[in-house]
Amino acid sequence: MPDLLIELFSEEIPARMQARARDDLKKLVTDGLVEAGLTYAGAAAFSTPRRLALTVQGLTAESPTLREERKGPRVDAPAAAVEGFLRSTGLTREQLTVRDDKKAQVYMAVIERPGRPADAIVAEVLDSAIRNFPWPKSMRWGTGSLRWVRPLQSILCLMSDEAGARVVPLDVDGIVAGNTTEGHRFMAPGRFPVSSFDDYAAKLKRAHVLLDPAERADRIWHDATNAAFAAGLEVVEDAGLLTEVAGLVEWPVVLMGRIGEEFLGLPPEVLQTSMREHQKFFSVRNPGTGRIEGYITVANRETADHGATVLAGNGKVLRARLSDARFFWDNDLRTVAQQGLEGMAAGLAHVTFHNKLGSQMDRIRRIEALAREIAPLVGAAPDLAAEAARVAKADLQSAMVGEFPELQGLMGSYYARAAGLPDAVAAACKDHYSPLGPSDDVPAEPVSVAVALADKIDTLAGFWAIDEKPTGSKDPYALRRAALGVIRLVVGNGVRLELRREIDHALASVMLSVAGHKRAVLIEDSPDGTSLLSALRDAEVLAEDFPETLKVDRTRLLGAFVKGELGILTADGRGLDFRFPAKAEAISDLLAFFHDRLKVFLRDQGIRHDVIDACLAMPGNDDLTLLVRRAEALSATLKTEDGANLLQGFKRANNILTQAEAKDGVEYSFGADVKFAEDDSERALFAALDRAEAEIAPAMAAEDFARAMAAMAALRGPIDAFFTAVQVNSDNGVVRRNRLNLLSRIRSICLSVADLTKVEG
Amino acid sequence: MTDTPRSFQEIILRLQSYWGGKGCAVLQPYDMEVGAGTFHPATTLRALGPRPWAAAYVQPSRRPTDGRYGENPNRLQHYYQYQVLIKPSPKDLQDLYLGSLQAIGIDLALHDIRFVEDDWESPTLGAWGLGWEVWCDGMEVSQFTYFQQVGGHDCRPVSGELTYGLERLAMYVLGIDHVMDMPYNDPQSPIALSYGDVFRQTEREYSRWNFDQADTAMLLSHFEDAEAECERILAAPATDGAGRAIVMAHPAYDQCIKASHLFNLLDARGVISVTERQAYIGRVRALAKKCADAFVTTEAGGGGAGGAAAEVAV
């Protein structure tokens, strides 16, 4: 049972690619070995900045011999047929055997495919793994055509067993596999041979290379927390940074430094971001005050002066960075003091959001109007929401966000407080982008909710208005995320809002703002639909720079938008740049997009898509909070025994009724009368339906879906009893009609709660 | 080898002597305004085609938007890059590079040198490559790139490119905090000059011109002129009146460089909007691509005499 050791030694592999590369190497090689008939006991992959390594233990020494029996032609078959069989099996006539088969004797061939030694298989598999390695980005170098993430310098490929170790012969584009590797670039230069994985890992450690990234991360974290603790401080946890730094060093050496007093007044997020993004430093916090006062940098080596030069150099670079940050911070605060936050935002008039959707300032005006409208629905003061919307994106113009885009929103909240704006406005600056990811916190502060909803609905309406919707895997403007954000804001805060109405207003607002900066034209399609552009030449220009001149007739613009007859001319005025979809189409299409996202959202919470469909078919389906409550109640009901059986009862009633209605050509929807009831179960059902109706109607009016559905599920017993005791299609026409009308009552009561015809099962 | 240099110019001289000693042709700066050493035809054009190449040079570089009137400790609108291009990239290029750091006085035993992922892309040149920024104790001291494409052409063989930001590197080696305080020549010289003595005046003057005074209408028309001339040169027949086959890739490329610098000036004057920006970059890239197309038909570009081979191929 030999062990296999592979090392692919290269120039520095990007840290972010190493984890994937380890998995890929392990999978490509082990899959290849297994496919070729080998088995193994275990495998593990490792990486450092300069190497990918794989150990496979307990590999079978060769692939098994395969034996195949194949039936040939009859013994008396023509010679040509026998020749053909010999050719296809690679045997001679003497090697064939003869066997009785039903009526005749036939030739049989026994073909043996001998196993192959593991070494040959390893060479093939590794060659293919190297050539087909799925690096996210790869390159060529020198005169070769081989691709690797950075130049591949050497290959170590070793089989070892009781007899010793041997190199697997392999040559990939002139790189010949051997049994040597290199230690740390600076601390232990030079190549050395290894004889097994254990020998390899041990010698690397002596040569100042820790092979296992987990061990490097452990050492960094251990040493960092110790260093901080000794100084009465604590390291701010950052798992992502730890993984990255562990991928940047072969021999981690932790060094701790202090941040200069003059920078301690910067917001902690600025210090952390600057140190993390530019320098890959961990932040070190004073647990007493919560302030960031120091940093941990991880060098790739020990030095004779115990890191003094390295730390001094890093400190110098940090000082330069923080001087910049301090300069930005002071400048921004000065701008805010002189011009206010709205003054800072003024420049957004010159920042294009999207060339069809105008500037950031156009967008802010639309968001302001929408936020004002949504505010009362979420319990926010309209004026406050409008104010927040006006300044929420001001920090995009700040020097600090220019340098650190990831601080957008957060800086706005600092500057809002500096400008003396209310806390709710400062919070909205920070939180109106949220939620970004599916697990982000959802803002709950009413002003933040109003601005966040307005921001996202405007974005969606905008891209729907210009018909740049997400397709398949392409969603460059993150519109799916925006829609999910709206859903989570609405549902998470129990907001009651008619989404259709908000979309309508947002679309109209986008259209007016787009038309205001471009040349909007009325498109009158010719009947044959072919001469659009020639019609355009004479088209009536409805709007041209109207905010300045106010010459436009808004009513006519909106009228054309409603009818789908509104277009925008190209810059030279000679063609159609794009055409707005008819408003109603855009609204229902965007609402359908929301419903799709809602299905994904609820599916993750264990609610089936057909249950959602049953609720979507009900009125008020643009009120997402109502929709979700209904779906949750229905889902819960269907999980009870009564609920599941009621569904069967409903389906049976509905089937019988539908067939009868189709056959009779009438609709049985009225006039079931208890006086025609013949059976006790029938009378009991009448009574139960009366009770259910009395319960369900007020429950539905109060939107108490749980109560309504419980009342509906309670019908299960009487319905089951009815079907057991009674045949609906009685010979007596009066009785039959009465029973069909009774089924119709079941149907209409159930459908008043949710469209159960949509539920599967 | 690791004794500390005493001046900016000594660092440059040591780099010249180091790379000259490693077999590079030590070229002189290109005599046009460029934004980076990469624009020198010794890099952009010579990275194309099959012929081996090894060159090293200082390139004065201009980035009008970075002007700070000589007041910022690190930012300049005119600065120097040291550029090395070797084709095909040698197997020991990293070691050669580390040797150059030693040559300018960086003691590798005391410092922490790191190769940190940084892929290079020049949208104006239609070029990209993979490599690193090289960190010395957390500071970026060089860019190290394996060119994969230039002017839309695959680089075969691949060139290895090293770019040193000379002021920043020298400030680090010399332990200087403000660029203007850096000794330009030996501080013991009879007439000792600082970087500020040499460049403070010009930084102030150019900052004002770049930001406030450059005539944008004229710059715009110069941009159009350069673009038109570049295209006209390349559209000329490959054979001159006397029957000599001469494709004029380099004169055309000069116009491309001009257009690129004019765009940078317009950008510094703040007259180019975000959307227009992309369009201008696209126009310069189109020129660079055409120049690259032309260069690979020339003898130096491996395409045969003066482009005749390419014409036959068409």
Side-chain angles (χ1 to χ4, degrees):
Chain A
M1 287 294 194
D3 294 334
L4 168 65
L5 171 63
I6 292 170
E7 183 201 59
L8 304 171
F9 184 85
S10 67
E11 297 177 11
E12 277 75 357
I13 307 167
R16 66 186 173 93
M17 298 180 188
Q18 289 172 24
R20 245 299 288 287
R22 291 195 295 270
D23 294 346
D24 286 340
L25 178 65
K26 184 168 146 187
K27 182 165 170 39
L28 282 172
V29 172
T30 54
D31 283 2
L33 296 176
V34 168
E35 205 170 297
L38 299 179
T39 64
Y40 64 97
F46 304 93
S47 67
T48 78
R50 293 211 290 166
R51 64 201 90 219
L52 282 179
L54 175 70
T55 165
V56 182
Q57 306 101 28
L59 198 61
T60 36
E62 55 187 27
S63 58
T65 298
L66 296 177
R67 192 167 178 278
E68 184 197 354
E69 276 200 348
R70 206 189 295 174
K71 195 170 91 176
R74 285 160 60 142
V75 174
D76 55 0
V82 178
E83 291 298 318
F85 183 61
L86 289 175
R87 262 198 308 282
S88 76
T89 56
L91 300 179
T92 62
R93 190 178 290 243
E94 292 70 47
Q95 290 171 303
L96 300 180
T97 56
V98 175
R99 189 183 295 171
D100 289 325
D101 184 61
K102 289 173 196 154
K103 292 173 277 199
Q105 288 195 309
V106 296
Y107 284 117
M108 293 298 297
V110 177
I111 307 161
E112 289 216 339
R113 293 187 203 286
R116 300 173 59 213
D119 295 41
I121 293 173
V122 165
E124 268 174 29
V125 167
L126 182 55
D127 181 88
S128 152
I130 292 172
R131 291 181 193 281
N132 300 305
F133 206 83
W135 292 108
K137 265 182 181 177
S138 64
M139 55 165 276
R140 293 171 288 107
W141 60 94
T143 51
S145 58
L146 188 64
R147 301 187 75 88
W148 199 246
V149 64
R150 292 292 183 278
L152 181 62
Q153 298 278 19
S154 68
I155 299 171
L156 182 157
C157 188
L158 206 63
M159 290 285 258
S160 52
D161 52 25
E162 306 75 33
R166 59 186 181 277
V167 171
V168 174
L170 175 70
D171 178 338
V172 184
D173 266 34
I175 306 170
V176 179
N179 65 344
T180 62
T181 184
E182 267 183 48
H184 191 280
R185 186 194 284 281
F186 300 104
M187 297 183 74
R191 298 196 77 85
F192 53 85
V194 302
S195 57
S196 67
F197 175 72
D198 290 342
D199 184 46
Y200 169 73
K203 280 181 175 158
L204 277 180
K205 193 169 276 187
R206 280 205 292 281
H208 299 281
V209 174
L210 288 184
L211 180 63
D212 186 347
E215 190 183 345
R216 294 196 300 275
D218 282 350
R219 180 182 287 189
I220 292 167
W221 189 247
H222 175 262
D223 291 357
T225 45
N226 269 358
F229 181 76
L233 302 171
E234 63 186 15
V235 187
V236 178
E237 276 197 47
D238 190 336
L241 182 62
L242 184 58
T243 306
E244 184 181 1
V245 171
L248 285 170
V249 293
E250 296 202 307
W251 192 253
V253 175
V254 162
L255 301 167
M256 188 171 80
R258 296 285 188 143
I259 296 170
E261 196 66 39
E262 66 272 35
F263 304 119
L264 294 180
L266 285 168
E269 295 90 344
V270 170
L271 291 171
Q272 274 175 277
T273 306
S274 177
M275 295 200 291
R276 179 188 206 281
E277 298 306 316
H278 292 306
Q279 304 299 130
K280 323 269 185 225
F281 289 175
F282 292 91
S283 295
V284 174
R285 183 166 50 205
N286 180 330
T289 61
R291 287 202 310 185
I292 306 291
E293 296 181 354
Y295 59 89
I296 295 281
T297 179
V298 183
N300 185 32
R301 62 169 306 163
E302 295 159 13
T303 60
D305 63 358
H306 306 289
T309 308
V310 176
L311 189 60
N314 275 285
K316 190 171 168 179
V317 179
L318 181 65
R319 268 195 305 284
R321 293 272 187 212
L322 294 184
S323 300
D324 276 355
R326 174 83 194 274
F327 174 79
F328 298 143
W329 171 247
D330 292 344
N331 253 7
D332 289 344
L333 287 178
R334 197 174 314 120
T335 306
V336 170
Q338 287 166 355
Q339 307 167 24
L341 206 47
E342 283 192 52
M344 181 181 261
L348 290 172
H350 308 292
V351 178
T352 306
F353 168 65
H354 179 283
N355 65 13
K356 286 181 187 161
L357 294 175
S359 70
Q360 286 281 16
M361 188 53 83
D362 295 330
R363 209 164 102 71
I364 287 169
R365 294 212 181 94
R366 299 197 297 263
I367 294 172
E368 182 189 347
L370 206 54
R372 185 183 283 283
E373 187 178 302
I374 292 172
L377 305 175
V378 300
D383 284 347
L384 207 53
E387 182 178 15
R390 282 197 300 275
V391 299
K393 294 186 188 297
D395 66 354
L396 294 180
Q397 285 295 93
S398 71
M400 189 71 87
V401 173
E403 183 71 9
F404 300 109
E406 60 272 48
L407 293 179
Q408 70 174 20
L410 181 78
M411 293 321 298
S413 70
Y414 277 106
Y415 298 146
R417 262 177 248 130
L421 298 176
D423 285 349
V425 173
C429 290
K430 178 156 85 74
D431 293 333
H432 79 282
Y433 295 104
S434 300
L436 287 171
S439 54
D440 261 18
D441 285 342
V442 176
E445 211 288 325
V447 173
S448 299
V449 174
V451 180
L453 280 172
D455 185 2
K456 291 169 176 60
I457 292 173
D458 175 74
T459 303
L460 287 157
F463 287 102
W464 250 255
I466 60 170
D467 203 19
E468 291 199 25
K469 301 176 271 192
T471 53
S473 60
K474 287 206 185 95
D475 184 9
Y477 306 108
L479 300 179
R480 290 191 180 99
R481 194 171 74 185
L484 179 63
V486 171
I487 290 168
R488 293 191 58 210
L489 281 161
V490 167
V491 175
N493 289 299
V495 174
R496 302 300 301 276
L497 157 143
E498 294 166 43
L499 198 53
R500 196 176 270 111
R501 195 178 108 102
E502 304 308 334
I503 293 172
D504 184 328
H505 292 181
L507 276 169
S509 172
V510 165
M511 182 280 291
L512 286 170
S513 121
V514 171
H517 292 286
K518 314 256 182 177
R519 295 180 65 192
V521 289
L522 188 68
I523 302 169
E524 288 181 41
D525 288 318
S526 56
D528 63 358
T530 54
S531 51
L532 182 65
L533 281 181
S534 66
L536 264 182
R537 229 164 274 138
D538 314 316
E540 196 174 352
V541 174
L542 288 183
E544 198 165 5
D545 292 335
F546 74 81
E548 284 72 24
T549 60
L550 288 176
K551 270 191 273 182
V552 71
D553 182 344
R554 278 167 179 259
T555 320
R556 290 198 60 199
L557 265 180
L558 285 167
F561 185 29
V562 166
K563 285 189 270 180
E565 292 177 352
L566 191 65
I568 295 291
L569 289 187
T570 50
D572 63 9
R574 270 186 256 161
L576 194 62
D577 187 11
F578 67 96
R579 177 177 185 159
F580 290 101
K583 195 173 77 168
E585 247 170 65
I587 294 174
S588 58
D589 196 47
L590 180 49
L591 197 59
F593 182 72
F594 272 110
H595 286 155
D596 279 347
R597 299 332 294 164
L598 185 68
K599 283 184 193 176
V600 175
F601 172 70
L602 290 179
R603 189 182 60 206
D604 292 344
Q605 308 193 358
I607 299 181
R608 300 191 329 239
H609 69 94
D610 53 328
V611 170
I612 302 163
D613 281 334
C615 301
L616 279 178
M618 303 304 289
N621 69 2
D622 65 336
D623 179 338
L624 301 182
T625 297
L626 191 74
L627 186 55
V628 169
R629 277 194 211 150
R630 197 193 291 265
E632 282 168 353
L634 180 57
S635 181
T637 303
L638 290 175
K639 279 174 189 159
T640 65
E641 203 199 334
D642 274 356
N645 283 310
L646 171 89
L647 179 67
Q648 295 316 315
F650 165 82
K651 295 225 155 184
R652 191 165 169 192
N654 189 44
N655 286 342
I656 294 170
L657 190 57
T658 312
Q659 280 166 20
E661 285 179 336
K663 184 172 153 228
D664 304 346
V666 292
E667 188 179 309
Y668 294 103
S669 58
F670 182 72
D673 195 330
V674 71
K675 77 180 180 212
F676 299 115
E678 287 186 332
D679 190 272
D680 281 348
S681 69
E682 207 171 353
R683 276 183 283 275
L685 182 55
F686 268 99
L689 288 170
D690 288 343
R691 275 197 311 276
E693 256 173 350
E695 180 89 11
I696 289 172
M700 290 299 287
E703 294 172 0
D704 186 348
F705 299 116
R707 204 175 108 211
M709 287 185 196
M712 179 177 79
L715 288 172
R716 171 250 168 135
I719 292 175
D720 284 356
F722 169 77
F723 279 126
T724 311
V726 164
Q727 188 165 13
V728 174
N729 285 316
S730 162
D731 296 336
N732 179 336
V734 175
V735 171
R736 174 173 178 269
R737 201 158 45 245
N738 196 51
R739 286 177 180 164
L740 287 169
N741 277 323
L742 185 60
L743 294 188
S744 169
R745 279 190 68 193
I746 296 177
R747 179 166 71 179
S748 64
I749 287 176
C750 291
L751 289 183
S752 75
V753 177
D755 187 352
L756 295 187
T757 60
K758 299 260 197 298
V759 180
E760 290 163 9
Chain B
M1 262 312 257
T2 56
D3 59 319
T4 311
R6 287 137 71 98
S7 66
F8 184 56
Q9 73 188 26
E10 190 181 347
I11 289 173
I12 296 176
L13 292 170
R14 287 197 194 184
L15 284 173
Q16 299 278 46
S17 134
Y18 177 83
W19 286 109
K22 297 295 176 190
C24 287
V26 177
L27 303 181
Q28 301 305 321
Y30 202 57
D31 57 343
M32 293 187 67
E33 299 134 309
V34 295
T38 310
F39 276 84
H40 196 308
T43 289
T44 309
L45 296 182
R46 296 291 175 157
L48 294 165
R51 300 200 165 198
W53 183 255
Y57 54 89
V58 178
Q59 181 62 51
S61 305
R62 300 198 190 208
R63 292 196 180 162
T65 46
D66 281 353
R68 295 291 183 274
Y69 300 84
E71 287 159 16
N72 187 289
N74 304 299
R75 284 190 196 257
L76 301 160
Q77 58 83 40
H78 172 283
Y79 65 104
Y80 291 102
Q81 286 194 341
Y82 197 84
Q83 175 87 3
V84 179
L85 189 87
I86 306 182
K87 177 174 77 171
S89 62
K91 197 170 183 251
D92 59 348
L93 189 56
Q94 281 186 314
D95 290 334
L96 287 172
Y97 167 74
L98 292 171
S100 74
L101 294 186
Q102 278 180 303
I104 57 172
I106 294 179
D107 181 355
L108 296 184
L110 284 182
H111 294 276
D112 180 31
I113 310 288
R114 227 82 77 68
F115 293 85
V116 180
E117 175 189 18
D118 190 38
D119 301 340
W120 173 80
E121 187 183 13
S122 167
T124 38
L125 289 175
W128 69 275
L130 298 191
W132 312 273
E133 48 183 47
V134 185
W135 285 13
C136 176
D137 303 334
M139 189 177 75
E140 184 195 339
V141 289
S142 304
Q143 282 279 332
F144 191 130
T145 306
Y146 291 100
F147 277 5
Q148 302 295 299
Q149 253 191 6
V150 173
H153 289 258
D154 278 351
C155 298
R156 287 178 195 278
V158 168
S159 300
E161 183 213 41
L162 307 172
T163 304
Y164 307 72
L166 281 172
E167 281 81 355
R168 199 198 323 212
L169 180 61
M171 283 167 68
Y172 190 77
V173 171
L174 301 171
I176 304 293
D177 289 325
H178 197 298
V179 63
M180 293 298 168
D181 299 336
M182 178 162 61
Y184 196 99
N185 59 3
D186 191 325
Q188 307 299 317
S189 309
I191 301 174
L193 294 171
S194 71
Y195 195 91
D197 292 333
V198 181
F199 286 116
R200 187 178 282 111
Q201 183 63 35
T202 52
E203 280 300 308
R204 282 172 62 77
E205 293 179 14
Y206 278 103
S207 292
R208 180 175 179 206
W209 184 71
N210 292 338
F211 289 130
D212 302 335
Q213 285 295 319
D215 181 338
T216 56
M218 188 198 68
L219 292 174
L220 268 170
S221 83
H222 282 358
F223 180 93
E224 311 268 340
D225 289 348
E227 184 182 42
E229 178 64 358
C230 179
E231 285 175 345
R232 194 189 65 77
I233 295 171
L234 293 174
T239 308
D240 72 359
R244 288 172 291 227
I246 306 175
V247 169
M248 297 166 287
H250 286 80
Y253 181 64
D254 284 354
Q255 299 301 321
C256 169
I257 293 177
K258 253 186 207 168
S260 172
H261 179 62
L262 286 160
F263 161 72
N264 289 341
L265 285 170
L266 286 163
D267 199 22
R269 290 284 280 116
V271 295
I272 292 179
S273 75
V274 180
T275 27
E276 284 172 320
R277 230 184 117 73
Q278 287 314 311
Y280 274 101
I281 290 172
R283 284 163 75 178
V284 178
R285 181 170 56 238
L287 298 181
K289 185 167 173 357
K290 284 181 192 170
C291 293
D293 293 347
F295 178 73
V296 296
T297 69
T298 66
E299 190 175 348
E311 266 180 286
V312 172
V314 170

